[in-house]
Amino acid sequence: MLTKNVSGACFSDKKSLPIDTACFSVLNQNKHPVTLFSSFYDCVLCDGDPIDIAANENLTIQISTKYPLQIHCNDSKATNSFQECNQTFSFQQNGRYGWNISENGKCSEIYTLYEPFNPYLPLLAALMVYFLGFLVLFTSRMIINVVKTFITRSTEVNDDLDRLQETESSPQLLTVSKTSMRQHALDAFRGIAVLLMIFVNKGGGEYVFFNHAPWNGLTVADLVLPWFAWSMGFTIVKSVRIHLRVSISRTRLILKQFRRAVLLIFCGLLINSQHNFLHKTPLSELRIPGVLQLLAFSYLICSLVETCCASAQRTYQFRQFVFLQDILERWTQWIVILVIIIFHTCITFLLHVPGCPRGYIGPGGYHHHGEYMNCTGGAAAYIDKLIFGNHMYAKKTNLIYGPVSPHDPEGLINSISATLIVFMGVQAGRIFVTYYQSNARIIRWVAWFIITGLMAGILCNFSKENGVIPVNKNMMSLSFVLCTSSFAFLLFSILYYVIEYKKWWDGSPFIYAGANPILLYVGHYLTSGLFPFEWNINGIPTHTSVLAMNLWTTTLWTVIAYILYKKEILIAI
């Protein structure tokens, strides 16, 4: 958070500061040294990092501007306390700031020496460019369609008899393609998830809200994995029902589901092995968990439950409760999923972890005054270490909480929790196949958006830190699962209304990516660092340069998805 200015950029107008950093000059006007403490405002119960400032010294340091900072002074030799030297300030990127510590135990307000550059202007410009491009394409398509319709009508010179004769002599054939039979709303939903995943995995322009939350909280980046898992669940219902209707045995279907899960795990290990190769780490430290591994595990559980409990035909045995048919028909599945969630909750809050308080789900590190330094992730991390050992995510620092013990956000316990996300997608798919009227489907999806959102809010107390179970992607907490599922229901309802129901939009360009999501996800990892997907940035990276490269990578994969879509090349696992 606070680092001494080794590069000298704070003392030269010709040198640029790194992304999300600023310069902070602290003038100690006392005749004895003082200690400066700093911590991010989001760091709960943190004491802060100390930096000593000599007597009558003007110390210039580089500070992080990602989150607001809490700064205070401590001086054991002073007769007056430094109670007033405690400030919270939101520093801006590339700004120069000053702060004076007086002899009487007081401090000035933090003041600006040099006005910072607005880091969000490049993002705003990019949004405008993409919006104008989309508007031009949409308008051009409308004009072309109108012109085609006008030309077609003007060339109709044959009378009804001629048309009848032509129809009888050469009957029209209905052309069916792979892409025309797809559900565009679901492809658009899945395409949004995978393209957003590519963008944030490449850095998201190094903006904080396009990166995962350091611990509790929710960012845009935290939505993409749950949305992808939710969409996988949506497809399970229709797939199982179709296979059962054509008399494919459940055993054969289960083997097919195992095959898909194994392929997903293999692709995930392939991605992890590439990471090992690029960072020159030995095979003995190959990470076994991962995003695709989590998806494979949660998909397999939900697909097995659906296959074992589903029936090929609908039943109408509930009479006055027929409006709850989608739930009552599959009550056994609900019981299985509830048992899984109860099992996950019991492990999280009741399992004893050596050296850690029972039920601890915090980040460790500086949290709680550093008392639980090695308790990061609680029971989930403890079990992952027992099972995977060195074969797990090895990150040992947290942006806010400093040095932490290794914890894998896609570990085994988190994969169990993710099962509920996939099952929420199963519930959405069951609504789709059970009710045939669009209004009935949309009403139920919106109802689930409200129900899951309220449940998540109650668990987290509608706050970031004060709830019983905070929203936390790193722990795949129950409130996080319900919150992201709620947003998934909402987004899909909107897409279905606009694309399928009103037909105001065909879902492009997202439907192209949604038709080949696994290919794009694996491909963007395997091409990491290769031109023309990526390149090295000359000089010190800025939000503008990083954002341009990340958007280019995402756009290029969209073009690749478009070509594959038009050629009807759909690669499914």
Side-chain angles (χ1 to χ4, degrees), residues 260-556:
R260 188 184 189 195
V262 170
L263 287 176
L264 285 173
I265 292 174
F266 173 77
C267 291
L269 292 176
L270 184 65
I271 292 173
N272 291 351
S273 65
Q274 187 207 31
H275 181 272
N276 274 40
F277 178 78
L278 293 177
H279 291 80
K280 298 181 179 179
T281 54
L283 191 62
S284 59
E285 298 180 9
L286 173 66
R287 182 190 178 199
I288 294 178
V291 171
L292 293 183
Q293 293 89 317
L294 178 143
L295 293 174
F297 180 87
S298 53
Y299 159 81
L300 182 61
I301 296 298
C302 289
S303 60
L304 290 176
V305 172
E306 180 71 17
T307 303
C308 295
C309 301
S311 57
Q313 302 295 330
R314 292 176 56 188
T315 60
Y316 297 89
Q317 57 188 6
F318 304 107
R319 297 180 183 177
Q320 66 267 30
F321 297 105
V322 69
F323 65 96
L324 295 176
Q325 174 131 354
D326 56 300
I327 298 176
L328 297 178
E329 271 189 343
R330 300 291 180 262
W331 63 272
T332 53
Q333 298 174 348
W334 278 99
I335 291 178
V336 172
I337 296 301
L338 288 176
V339 169
I340 291 175
I341 296 305
I342 292 173
F343 172 74
H344 171 270
T345 304
C346 289
I347 288 180
T348 302
F349 292 100
L350 299 181
L351 182 67
H352 172 67
V353 179
C356 302
R358 195 182 302 274
Y360 182 77
I361 54 175
Y366 298 142
H367 179 250
H368 209 279
H369 309 292
E371 295 179 12
Y372 312 129
M373 179 74 69
N374 297 319
C375 296
T376 305
Y382 176 68
I383 293 176
D384 287 339
K385 290 173 186 176
L386 291 178
I387 296 176
F388 301 116
N390 293 330
H391 298 279
M392 56 182 290
Y393 196 57
K395 187 176 181 181
K396 297 181 180 180
T397 58
N398 184 284
L399 176 62
I400 288 181
Y401 292 98
V404 296
S405 60
H407 163 65
D408 204 308
E410 285 84 39
L412 178 61
I413 303 302
N414 286 4
S415 299
I416 295 175
S417 179
T419 303
L420 181 58
I421 302 178
V422 180
F423 187 73
M424 287 291 100
V426 170
Q427 177 60 30
R430 191 174 297 125
I431 290 173
F432 180 82
V433 300
T434 303
Y435 305 97
Y436 299 119
Q437 292 183 341
S438 297
N439 288 337
R441 293 169 175 172
I442 294 173
I443 289 173
R444 283 168 173 80
W445 289 329
V446 172
W448 276 106
F449 152 68
I450 297 172
I451 292 170
T452 52
L454 286 176
M455 292 175 65
I458 293 171
L459 289 175
C460 70
N461 198 27
F462 295 94
S463 65
K464 184 177 179 180
E465 302 287 348
N466 299 325
V468 178
I469 304 179
V471 174
N472 189 304
K473 189 266 180 188
N474 295 277
M475 294 293 296
M476 203 65 68
S477 65
L478 183 57
S479 58
F480 171 81
V481 168
L482 292 170
C483 179
T484 52
S485 297
S486 176
F487 285 121
F489 277 110
L490 177 62
L491 177 60
F492 184 77
S493 300
I494 295 173
L495 293 174
Y496 183 83
Y497 181 83
V498 174
I499 297 174
E500 304 285 355
Y501 185 39
K502 290 297 185 179
K503 299 187 183 301
W504 291 337
W505 176 41
D506 64 355
S508 59
F510 301 110
I511 56 173
Y512 311 135
N516 280 299
I518 298 298
L519 175 64
L520 266 64
Y521 180 79
V522 175
H524 95 278
Y525 268 111
L526 297 183
T527 57
S528 180
L530 301 179
F531 186 83
F533 298 95
E534 295 180 58
W535 56 86
N536 292 325
I537 298 175
N538 294 327
I540 297 178
T542 63
H543 279 299
T544 302
S545 60
V546 176
L547 179 65
M549 184 172 64
N550 297 156
L551 288 175
W552 164 255
T553 303
T554 308
T555 304
L556 185 57

Side-chain angles (χ1 to χ4, degrees), residues 73-75 78-85 103-107:
C73 285
N74 186 20
D75 183 11
T79 56
N80 297 321
S81 64
F82 280 78
Q83 294 179 355
E84 297 183 25
C85 291
E103 291 189 58
N104 56 3
K106 296 183 179 180
C107 300

Side-chain angles (χ1 to χ4, degrees), residues 1-12 15-25 40 60-69 89-97 112 114-120 205-208 399 540-543:
M1 287 164 286
L2 299 183
T3 56
K4 292 186 178 180
N5 183 37
V6 179
S7 65
C10 291
F11 304 108
S12 174
K15 292 186 177 181
S16 299
L17 290 170
I19 292 177
D20 291 332
T21 59
C23 293
F24 187 39
S25 297
F40 285 114
T60 300
I61 51 183
Q62 287 185 8
I63 58 175
S64 173
T65 62
K66 288 182 178 294
Y67 301 96
L69 279 176
F89 194 83
S90 295
F91 295 92
Q92 300 297 317
Q93 177 182 280
N94 292 355
R96 268 70 170 177
Y97 301 90
T112 303
Y114 177 79
E115 288 295 335
F117 170 76
N118 188 342
Y120 302 108
E206 296 298 332
Y207 289 103
V208 171
L399 176 62
I540 297 178
T542 63
H543 279 299

